[in-house]
PDB file of all heavy atoms in Angstrom:
ATOM      1  N   ALA A 315       0.781  -1.242  -0.049  1.00 96.00           N
ATOM      2  CA  ALA A 315      -0.030  -0.011  -0.027  1.00 96.00           C
ATOM      3  C   ALA A 315       0.858   1.252   0.004  1.00 96.00           C
ATOM      4  O   ALA A 315       0.621   2.216  -0.818  1.00 96.00           O
ATOM      5  CB  ALA A 315      -0.944  -0.041   1.209  1.00 96.00           C
ATOM      6  N   GLN A 316       1.840   1.298   0.873  1.00 97.00           N
ATOM      7  CA  GLN A 316       2.682   2.520   0.978  1.00 97.00           C
ATOM      8  C   GLN A 316       3.432   2.728  -0.283  1.00 97.00           C
ATOM      9  O   GLN A 316       3.706   3.866  -0.768  1.00 97.00           O
ATOM     10  CB  GLN A 316       3.609   2.464   2.114  1.00 97.00           C
ATOM     11  CG  GLN A 316       4.349   3.744   2.444  1.00 97.00           C
ATOM     12  CD  GLN A 316       3.434   4.901   2.777  1.00 97.00           C
ATOM     13  OE1 GLN A 316       2.592   4.788   3.753  1.00 97.00           O
ATOM     14  NE2 GLN A 316       3.403   5.976   2.050  1.00 97.00           N
ATOM     15  N   SER A 317       3.977   1.659  -0.893  1.00 96.00           N
ATOM     16  CA  SER A 317       4.706   1.754  -2.158  1.00 96.00           C
ATOM     17  C   SER A 317       3.839   2.360  -3.287  1.00 96.00           C
ATOM     18  O   SER A 317       4.292   3.175  -4.090  1.00 96.00           O
ATOM     19  CB  SER A 317       5.209   0.399  -2.572  1.00 96.00           C
ATOM     20  OG  SER A 317       5.785   0.437  -3.859  1.00 96.00           O
ATOM     21  N   ILE A 318       2.579   1.902  -3.339  1.00 97.00           N
ATOM     22  CA  ILE A 318       1.667   2.443  -4.340  1.00 97.00           C
ATOM     23  C   ILE A 318       1.498   3.994  -4.174  1.00 97.00           C
ATOM     24  O   ILE A 318       1.646   4.750  -5.145  1.00 97.00           O
ATOM     25  CB  ILE A 318       0.253   1.795  -4.236  1.00 97.00           C
ATOM     26  CG1 ILE A 318       0.398   0.291  -4.592  1.00 97.00           C
ATOM     27  CG2 ILE A 318      -0.759   2.440  -5.152  1.00 97.00           C
ATOM     28  CD1 ILE A 318      -0.920  -0.528  -4.284  1.00 97.00           C
ATOM     29  N   ILE A 319       1.273   4.368  -2.916  1.00 97.00           N
ATOM     30  CA  ILE A 319       1.076   5.817  -2.679  1.00 97.00           C
ATOM     31  C   ILE A 319       2.359   6.601  -2.994  1.00 97.00           C
ATOM     32  O   ILE A 319       2.262   7.645  -3.610  1.00 97.00           O
ATOM     33  CB  ILE A 319       0.657   6.043  -1.216  1.00 97.00           C
ATOM     34  CG1 ILE A 319      -0.766   5.391  -0.996  1.00 97.00           C
ATOM     35  CG2 ILE A 319       0.690   7.527  -0.870  1.00 97.00           C
ATOM     36  CD1 ILE A 319      -1.831   5.952  -1.920  1.00 97.00           C
ATOM     37  N   ASP A 320       3.486   6.017  -2.606  1.00 97.00           N
ATOM     38  CA  ASP A 320       4.767   6.752  -2.800  1.00 97.00           C
ATOM     39  C   ASP A 320       5.002   6.965  -4.369  1.00 97.00           C
ATOM     40  O   ASP A 320       5.468   8.008  -4.798  1.00 97.00           O
ATOM     41  CB  ASP A 320       5.900   6.013  -2.203  1.00 97.00           C
ATOM     42  CG  ASP A 320       5.874   6.092  -0.664  1.00 97.00           C
ATOM     43  OD1 ASP A 320       5.133   6.876  -0.019  1.00 97.00           O
ATOM     44  OD2 ASP A 320       6.584   5.234  -0.024  1.00 97.00           O
ATOM     45  N   ARG A 321       4.757   5.832  -5.111  1.00 97.00           N
ATOM     46  CA  ARG A 321       5.018   5.912  -6.567  1.00 97.00           C
ATOM     47  C   ARG A 321       4.029   6.817  -7.262  1.00 97.00           C
ATOM     48  O   ARG A 321       4.381   7.569  -8.170  1.00 97.00           O
ATOM     49  CB  ARG A 321       4.994   4.528  -7.117  1.00 97.00           C
ATOM     50  CG  ARG A 321       6.264   3.754  -6.783  1.00 97.00           C
ATOM     51  CD  ARG A 321       6.192   2.358  -7.480  1.00 97.00           C
ATOM     52  NE  ARG A 321       5.227   1.453  -6.830  1.00 97.00           N
ATOM     53  CZ  ARG A 321       4.671   0.447  -7.432  1.00 97.00           C
ATOM     54  NH1 ARG A 321       4.867   0.181  -8.710  1.00 97.00           N
ATOM     55  NH2 ARG A 321       3.817  -0.401  -6.748  1.00 97.00           N
ATOM     56  N   PHE A 322       2.762   6.836  -6.769  1.00 97.00           N
ATOM     57  CA  PHE A 322       1.824   7.723  -7.267  1.00 97.00           C
ATOM     58  C   PHE A 322       2.139   9.164  -7.047  1.00 97.00           C
ATOM     59  O   PHE A 322       2.094   9.978  -7.896  1.00 97.00           O
ATOM     60  CB  PHE A 322       0.396   7.427  -6.662  1.00 97.00           C
ATOM     61  CG  PHE A 322      -0.734   8.330  -7.008  1.00 97.00           C
ATOM     62  CD1 PHE A 322      -1.433   8.165  -8.210  1.00 97.00           C
ATOM     63  CD2 PHE A 322      -1.027   9.403  -6.180  1.00 97.00           C
ATOM     64  CE1 PHE A 322      -2.402   9.062  -8.629  1.00 97.00           C
ATOM     65  CE2 PHE A 322      -2.009  10.297  -6.513  1.00 97.00           C
ATOM     66  CZ  PHE A 322      -2.704  10.139  -7.718  1.00 97.00           C
ATOM     67  N   ASN A 323       2.549   9.484  -5.855  1.00 96.00           N
ATOM     68  CA  ASN A 323       2.961  10.799  -5.435  1.00 96.00           C
ATOM     69  C   ASN A 323       4.112  11.310  -6.388  1.00 96.00           C
ATOM     70  O   ASN A 323       4.152  12.483  -6.855  1.00 96.00           O
ATOM     71  CB  ASN A 323       3.444  10.936  -4.046  1.00 96.00           C
ATOM     72  CG  ASN A 323       2.317  10.815  -3.015  1.00 96.00           C
ATOM     73  OD1 ASN A 323       1.074  11.026  -3.371  1.00 96.00           O
ATOM     74  ND2 ASN A 323       2.581  10.495  -1.790  1.00 96.00           N
ATOM     75  N   ALA A 324       5.073  10.486  -6.589  1.00 95.00           N
ATOM     76  CA  ALA A 324       6.274  10.789  -7.373  1.00 95.00           C
ATOM     77  C   ALA A 324       5.850  11.087  -8.855  1.00 95.00           C
ATOM     78  O   ALA A 324       6.575  11.859  -9.558  1.00 95.00           O
ATOM     79  CB  ALA A 324       7.306   9.681  -7.330  1.00 95.00           C
ATOM     80  N   GLU A 325       4.811  10.493  -9.311  1.00 96.00           N
ATOM     81  CA  GLU A 325       4.406  10.583 -10.708  1.00 96.00           C
ATOM     82  C   GLU A 325       3.742  11.919 -11.006  1.00 96.00           C
ATOM     83  O   GLU A 325       3.659  12.391 -12.156  1.00 96.00           O
ATOM     84  CB  GLU A 325       3.521   9.472 -11.103  1.00 96.00           C
ATOM     85  CG  GLU A 325       3.313   9.198 -12.671  1.00 96.00           C
ATOM     86  CD  GLU A 325       4.570   8.869 -13.306  1.00 96.00           C
ATOM     87  OE1 GLU A 325       5.500   8.247 -12.664  1.00 96.00           O
ATOM     88  OE2 GLU A 325       4.784   9.248 -14.497  1.00 96.00           O
ATOM     89  N   LEU A 326       3.089  12.579  -9.957  1.00 94.00           N
ATOM     90  CA  LEU A 326       2.235  13.724 -10.218  1.00 94.00           C
ATOM     91  C   LEU A 326       2.943  14.952 -10.819  1.00 94.00           C
ATOM     92  O   LEU A 326       2.438  15.517 -11.831  1.00 94.00           O
ATOM     93  CB  LEU A 326       1.616  14.147  -8.889  1.00 94.00           C
ATOM     94  CG  LEU A 326       0.641  13.206  -8.313  1.00 94.00           C
ATOM     95  CD1 LEU A 326       0.108  13.706  -6.952  1.00 94.00           C
ATOM     96  CD2 LEU A 326      -0.530  12.848  -9.209  1.00 94.00           C
ATOM     97  N   ILE A 327       4.142  15.281 -10.367  1.00 89.00           N
ATOM     98  CA  ILE A 327       4.847  16.389 -10.900  1.00 89.00           C
ATOM     99  C   ILE A 327       5.197  16.164 -12.377  1.00 89.00           C
ATOM    100  O   ILE A 327       5.134  17.003 -13.250  1.00 89.00           O
ATOM    101  CB  ILE A 327       6.131  16.710 -10.088  1.00 89.00           C
ATOM    102  CG1 ILE A 327       5.759  17.232  -8.757  1.00 89.00           C
ATOM    103  CG2 ILE A 327       7.046  17.755 -10.826  1.00 89.00           C
ATOM    104  CD1 ILE A 327       5.013  18.556  -8.792  1.00 89.00           C
ATOM    105  N   GLY A 328       5.622  14.942 -12.752  1.00 92.00           N
ATOM    106  CA  GLY A 328       5.856  14.605 -14.102  1.00 92.00           C
ATOM    107  C   GLY A 328       4.652  14.790 -14.996  1.00 92.00           C
ATOM    108  O   GLY A 328       4.799  15.181 -16.152  1.00 92.00           O
ATOM    109  N   MET A 329       3.476  14.579 -14.498  1.00 94.00           N
ATOM    110  CA  MET A 329       2.279  14.747 -15.246  1.00 94.00           C
ATOM    111  C   MET A 329       1.928  16.189 -15.486  1.00 94.00           C
ATOM    112  O   MET A 329       1.332  16.506 -16.484  1.00 94.00           O
ATOM    113  CB  MET A 329       1.132  14.014 -14.601  1.00 94.00           C
ATOM    114  CG  MET A 329       1.271  12.487 -14.663  1.00 94.00           C
ATOM    115  SD  MET A 329      -0.137  11.641 -13.804  1.00 94.00           S
ATOM    116  CE  MET A 329      -1.500  12.116 -14.863  1.00 94.00           C
ATOM    117  N   VAL A 330       2.338  17.078 -14.587  1.00 91.00           N
ATOM    118  CA  VAL A 330       2.201  18.516 -14.721  1.00 91.00           C
ATOM    119  C   VAL A 330       3.134  18.962 -15.829  1.00 91.00           C
ATOM    120  O   VAL A 330       2.766  19.705 -16.745  1.00 91.00           O
ATOM    121  CB  VAL A 330       2.377  19.233 -13.448  1.00 91.00           C
ATOM    122  CG1 VAL A 330       2.393  20.784 -13.718  1.00 91.00           C
ATOM    123  CG2 VAL A 330       1.323  18.887 -12.415  1.00 91.00           C
ATOM    124  N   ALA A 331       4.416  18.491 -15.710  1.00 91.00           N
ATOM    125  CA  ALA A 331       5.439  18.928 -16.592  1.00 91.00           C
ATOM    126  C   ALA A 331       5.216  18.550 -18.008  1.00 91.00           C
ATOM    127  O   ALA A 331       5.562  19.305 -19.007  1.00 91.00           O
ATOM    128  CB  ALA A 331       6.819  18.517 -16.090  1.00 91.00           C
ATOM    129  N   ASP A 332       4.708  17.348 -18.158  1.00 92.00           N
ATOM    130  CA  ASP A 332       4.481  16.829 -19.605  1.00 92.00           C
ATOM    131  C   ASP A 332       3.111  17.151 -20.126  1.00 92.00           C
ATOM    132  O   ASP A 332       2.693  16.688 -21.089  1.00 92.00           O
ATOM    133  CB  ASP A 332       4.852  15.363 -19.733  1.00 92.00           C
ATOM    134  CG  ASP A 332       3.844  14.440 -19.055  1.00 92.00           C
ATOM    135  OD1 ASP A 332       2.711  14.917 -18.659  1.00 92.00           O
ATOM    136  OD2 ASP A 332       4.171  13.241 -18.952  1.00 92.00           O
ATOM    137  N   ARG A 333       2.353  17.976 -19.352  1.00 92.00           N
ATOM    138  CA  ARG A 333       0.992  18.477 -19.768  1.00 92.00           C
ATOM    139  C   ARG A 333      -0.102  17.445 -19.658  1.00 92.00           C
ATOM    140  O   ARG A 333      -1.122  17.638 -20.291  1.00 92.00           O
ATOM    141  CB  ARG A 333       1.088  19.060 -21.180  1.00 92.00           C
ATOM    142  CG  ARG A 333       1.652  20.488 -21.319  1.00 92.00           C
ATOM    143  CD  ARG A 333       3.083  20.613 -20.961  1.00 92.00           C
ATOM    144  NE  ARG A 333       3.586  21.978 -21.305  1.00 92.00           N
ATOM    145  CZ  ARG A 333       4.739  22.197 -21.909  1.00 92.00           C
ATOM    146  NH1 ARG A 333       5.500  21.165 -22.165  1.00 92.00           N
ATOM    147  NH2 ARG A 333       5.098  23.412 -22.166  1.00 92.00           N
ATOM    148  N   SER A 334       0.115  16.341 -19.024  1.00 92.00           N
ATOM    149  CA  SER A 334      -0.966  15.362 -18.935  1.00 92.00           C
ATOM    150  C   SER A 334      -2.143  15.990 -18.100  1.00 92.00           C
ATOM    151  O   SER A 334      -3.253  15.695 -18.408  1.00 92.00           O
ATOM    152  CB  SER A 334      -0.445  14.126 -18.147  1.00 92.00           C
ATOM    153  OG  SER A 334       0.499  13.454 -18.937  1.00 92.00           O
ATOM    154  N   TYR A 335      -1.777  16.815 -17.110  1.00 93.00           N
ATOM    155  CA  TYR A 335      -2.910  17.424 -16.360  1.00 93.00           C
ATOM    156  C   TYR A 335      -3.775  18.285 -17.274  1.00 93.00           C
ATOM    157  O   TYR A 335      -4.989  18.311 -17.148  1.00 93.00           O
ATOM    158  CB  TYR A 335      -2.259  18.318 -15.316  1.00 93.00           C
ATOM    159  CG  TYR A 335      -2.263  17.687 -13.859  1.00 93.00           C
ATOM    160  CD1 TYR A 335      -1.293  16.718 -13.536  1.00 93.00           C
ATOM    161  CD2 TYR A 335      -3.095  18.110 -12.868  1.00 93.00           C
ATOM    162  CE1 TYR A 335      -1.221  16.154 -12.336  1.00 93.00           C
ATOM    163  CE2 TYR A 335      -3.056  17.575 -11.609  1.00 93.00           C
ATOM    164  CZ  TYR A 335      -2.123  16.560 -11.327  1.00 93.00           C
ATOM    165  OH  TYR A 335      -2.040  16.006 -10.083  1.00 93.00           O
ATOM    166  N   HIS A 336      -3.107  19.072 -18.163  1.00 91.00           N
ATOM    167  CA  HIS A 336      -3.862  19.912 -19.089  1.00 91.00           C
ATOM    168  C   HIS A 336      -4.861  19.174 -19.907  1.00 91.00           C
ATOM    169  O   HIS A 336      -6.017  19.493 -20.037  1.00 91.00           O
ATOM    170  CB  HIS A 336      -2.966  20.679 -19.986  1.00 91.00           C
ATOM    171  CG  HIS A 336      -1.911  21.634 -19.238  1.00 91.00           C
ATOM    172  ND1 HIS A 336      -0.890  21.058 -18.569  1.00 91.00           N
ATOM    173  CD2 HIS A 336      -1.826  22.912 -19.206  1.00 91.00           C
ATOM    174  CE1 HIS A 336      -0.130  22.114 -18.032  1.00 91.00           C
ATOM    175  NE2 HIS A 336      -0.714  23.222 -18.449  1.00 91.00           N
ATOM    176  N   ARG A 337      -4.331  18.043 -20.476  1.00 89.00           N
ATOM    177  CA  ARG A 337      -5.089  17.261 -21.340  1.00 89.00           C
ATOM    178  C   ARG A 337      -6.305  16.596 -20.564  1.00 89.00           C
ATOM    179  O   ARG A 337      -7.426  16.629 -21.063  1.00 89.00           O
ATOM    180  CB  ARG A 337      -4.251  16.098 -21.987  1.00 89.00           C
ATOM    181  CG  ARG A 337      -5.047  15.156 -22.877  1.00 89.00           C
ATOM    182  CD  ARG A 337      -4.088  14.194 -23.511  1.00 89.00           C
ATOM    183  NE  ARG A 337      -3.296  13.440 -22.566  1.00 89.00           N
ATOM    184  CZ  ARG A 337      -3.671  12.419 -21.849  1.00 89.00           C
ATOM    185  NH1 ARG A 337      -4.885  11.968 -22.093  1.00 89.00           N
ATOM    186  NH2 ARG A 337      -2.859  11.827 -21.093  1.00 89.00           N
ATOM    187  N   LEU A 338      -6.043  16.075 -19.360  1.00 90.00           N
ATOM    188  CA  LEU A 338      -7.049  15.335 -18.661  1.00 90.00           C
ATOM    189  C   LEU A 338      -8.068  16.251 -18.046  1.00 90.00           C
ATOM    190  O   LEU A 338      -9.230  15.946 -17.877  1.00 90.00           O
ATOM    191  CB  LEU A 338      -6.367  14.456 -17.581  1.00 90.00           C
ATOM    192  CG  LEU A 338      -5.585  13.303 -18.167  1.00 90.00           C
ATOM    193  CD1 LEU A 338      -4.684  12.678 -17.064  1.00 90.00           C
ATOM    194  CD2 LEU A 338      -6.455  12.204 -18.695  1.00 90.00           C
ATOM    195  N   LEU A 339      -7.627  17.465 -17.616  1.00 89.00           N
ATOM    196  CA  LEU A 339      -8.580  18.452 -17.016  1.00 89.00           C
ATOM    197  C   LEU A 339      -9.096  19.350 -18.149  1.00 89.00           C
ATOM    198  O   LEU A 339      -9.962  20.222 -17.787  1.00 89.00           O
ATOM    199  CB  LEU A 339      -7.830  19.248 -15.949  1.00 89.00           C
ATOM    200  CG  LEU A 339      -7.329  18.427 -14.776  1.00 89.00           C
ATOM    201  CD1 LEU A 339      -6.715  19.430 -13.743  1.00 89.00           C
ATOM    202  CD2 LEU A 339      -8.463  17.642 -14.130  1.00 89.00           C
ATOM    203  N   GLN A 340      -8.593  19.307 -19.335  1.00 87.00           N
ATOM    204  CA  GLN A 340      -9.050  20.205 -20.503  1.00 87.00           C
ATOM    205  C   GLN A 340      -8.898  21.642 -20.197  1.00 87.00           C
ATOM    206  O   GLN A 340      -9.764  22.405 -20.249  1.00 87.00           O
ATOM    207  CB  GLN A 340     -10.489  19.860 -20.799  1.00 87.00           C
ATOM    208  CG  GLN A 340     -10.657  18.345 -21.248  1.00 87.00           C
ATOM    209  CD  GLN A 340     -12.017  17.976 -21.716  1.00 87.00           C
ATOM    210  OE1 GLN A 340     -12.898  18.856 -21.746  1.00 87.00           O
ATOM    211  NE2 GLN A 340     -12.291  16.751 -22.079  1.00 87.00           N
ATOM    212  N   LEU A 341      -7.658  21.983 -19.811  1.00 89.00           N
ATOM    213  CA  LEU A 341      -7.243  23.333 -19.443  1.00 89.00           C
ATOM    214  C   LEU A 341      -6.173  23.809 -20.324  1.00 89.00           C
ATOM    215  O   LEU A 341      -5.256  23.019 -20.765  1.00 89.00           O
ATOM    216  CB  LEU A 341      -6.852  23.450 -18.006  1.00 89.00           C
ATOM    217  CG  LEU A 341      -7.964  23.117 -16.956  1.00 89.00           C
ATOM    218  CD1 LEU A 341      -7.229  22.900 -15.601  1.00 89.00           C
ATOM    219  CD2 LEU A 341      -8.914  24.194 -16.899  1.00 89.00           C
ATOM    220  N   ASP A 342      -6.069  25.130 -20.599  1.00 90.00           N
ATOM    221  CA  ASP A 342      -4.976  25.739 -21.394  1.00 90.00           C
ATOM    222  C   ASP A 342      -3.803  26.056 -20.564  1.00 90.00           C
ATOM    223  O   ASP A 342      -2.662  25.824 -20.965  1.00 90.00           O
ATOM    224  CB  ASP A 342      -5.510  26.915 -22.177  1.00 90.00           C
ATOM    225  CG  ASP A 342      -6.404  26.612 -23.289  1.00 90.00           C
ATOM    226  OD1 ASP A 342      -6.414  25.437 -23.682  1.00 90.00           O
ATOM    227  OD2 ASP A 342      -7.254  27.451 -23.719  1.00 90.00           O
ATOM    228  N   TRP A 343      -4.028  26.636 -19.408  1.00 93.00           N
ATOM    229  CA  TRP A 343      -2.985  27.024 -18.492  1.00 93.00           C
ATOM    230  C   TRP A 343      -3.329  26.552 -17.011  1.00 93.00           C
ATOM    231  O   TRP A 343      -4.447  26.649 -16.669  1.00 93.00           O
ATOM    232  CB  TRP A 343      -2.809  28.598 -18.378  1.00 93.00           C
ATOM    233  CG  TRP A 343      -2.226  29.238 -19.619  1.00 93.00           C
ATOM    234  CD1 TRP A 343      -2.887  29.650 -20.711  1.00 93.00           C
ATOM    235  CD2 TRP A 343      -0.842  29.568 -19.818  1.00 93.00           C
ATOM    236  NE1 TRP A 343      -1.995  30.212 -21.597  1.00 93.00           N
ATOM    237  CE2 TRP A 343      -0.738  30.236 -21.034  1.00 93.00           C
ATOM    238  CE3 TRP A 343       0.309  29.418 -18.970  1.00 93.00           C
ATOM    239  CZ2 TRP A 343       0.476  30.690 -21.543  1.00 93.00           C
ATOM    240  CZ3 TRP A 343       1.484  29.865 -19.486  1.00 93.00           C
ATOM    241  CH2 TRP A 343       1.578  30.553 -20.700  1.00 93.00           C
ATOM    242  N   ILE A 344      -2.316  26.077 -16.367  1.00 93.00           N
ATOM    243  CA  ILE A 344      -2.408  25.753 -14.947  1.00 93.00           C
ATOM    244  C   ILE A 344      -1.310  26.363 -14.161  1.00 93.00           C
ATOM    245  O   ILE A 344      -0.196  26.687 -14.751  1.00 93.00           O
ATOM    246  CB  ILE A 344      -2.539  24.252 -14.682  1.00 93.00           C
ATOM    247  CG1 ILE A 344      -1.167  23.582 -15.118  1.00 93.00           C
ATOM    248  CG2 ILE A 344      -3.726  23.586 -15.343  1.00 93.00           C
ATOM    249  CD1 ILE A 344      -1.173  22.062 -14.719  1.00 93.00           C
ATOM    250  N   GLN A 345      -1.517  26.547 -12.849  1.00 93.00           N
ATOM    251  CA  GLN A 345      -0.444  26.986 -12.022  1.00 93.00           C
ATOM    252  C   GLN A 345      -0.074  25.826 -11.077  1.00 93.00           C
ATOM    253  O   GLN A 345      -1.013  25.407 -10.361  1.00 93.00           O
ATOM    254  CB  GLN A 345      -0.816  28.180 -11.270  1.00 93.00           C
ATOM    255  CG  GLN A 345      -0.974  29.464 -12.127  1.00 93.00           C
ATOM    256  CD  GLN A 345      -1.218  30.689 -11.261  1.00 93.00           C
ATOM    257  OE1 GLN A 345      -0.482  31.092 -10.382  1.00 93.00           O
ATOM    258  NE2 GLN A 345      -2.337  31.357 -11.572  1.00 93.00           N
ATOM    259  N   ALA A 346       1.172  25.509 -11.046  1.00 91.00           N
ATOM    260  CA  ALA A 346       1.557  24.308 -10.185  1.00 91.00           C
ATOM    261  C   ALA A 346       3.067  24.498  -9.932  1.00 91.00           C
ATOM    262  O   ALA A 346       3.806  25.054 -10.761  1.00 91.00           O
ATOM    263  CB  ALA A 346       1.307  22.943 -10.780  1.00 91.00           C
ATOM    264  N   ASP A 347       3.555  23.999  -8.794  1.00 90.00           N
ATOM    265  CA  ASP A 347       4.971  24.069  -8.426  1.00 90.00           C
ATOM    266  C   ASP A 347       5.706  22.938  -9.083  1.00 90.00           C
ATOM    267  O   ASP A 347       5.807  21.881  -8.575  1.00 90.00           O
ATOM    268  CB  ASP A 347       5.082  23.990  -6.900  1.00 90.00           C
ATOM    269  CG  ASP A 347       6.567  24.098  -6.463  1.00 90.00           C
ATOM    270  OD1 ASP A 347       7.401  24.502  -7.289  1.00 90.00           O
ATOM    271  OD2 ASP A 347       6.825  23.794  -5.266  1.00 90.00           O
ATOM    272  N   VAL A 348       6.306  23.151 -10.238  1.00 90.00           N
ATOM    273  CA  VAL A 348       6.988  22.149 -11.024  1.00 90.00           C
ATOM    274  C   VAL A 348       8.495  22.007 -10.641  1.00 90.00           C
ATOM    275  O   VAL A 348       9.090  20.968 -10.906  1.00 90.00           O
ATOM    276  CB  VAL A 348       6.927  22.273 -12.564  1.00 90.00           C
ATOM    277  CG1 VAL A 348       5.532  22.076 -12.942  1.00 90.00           C
ATOM    278  CG2 VAL A 348       7.417  23.615 -12.964  1.00 90.00           C
ATOM    279  N   ASP A 349       9.058  23.081 -10.019  1.00 88.00           N
ATOM    280  CA  ASP A 349      10.465  22.993  -9.709  1.00 88.00           C
ATOM    281  C   ASP A 349      10.746  22.837  -8.193  1.00 88.00           C
ATOM    282  O   ASP A 349      11.876  22.862  -7.756  1.00 88.00           O
ATOM    283  CB  ASP A 349      11.212  24.272 -10.164  1.00 88.00           C
ATOM    284  CG  ASP A 349      10.676  25.561  -9.595  1.00 88.00           C
ATOM    285  OD1 ASP A 349       9.662  25.494  -8.778  1.00 88.00           O
ATOM    286  OD2 ASP A 349      11.227  26.622  -9.960  1.00 88.00           O
TER     287      ASP A 349
END
């Protein structure tokens, strides 16, 4: 269980950086802490 959550958490920033969030939320611009 903890491994699943840890790996999921680590994947989130990458999804912002590669614009997966934009595509899935259907947004043009988002604000998020990528660095």
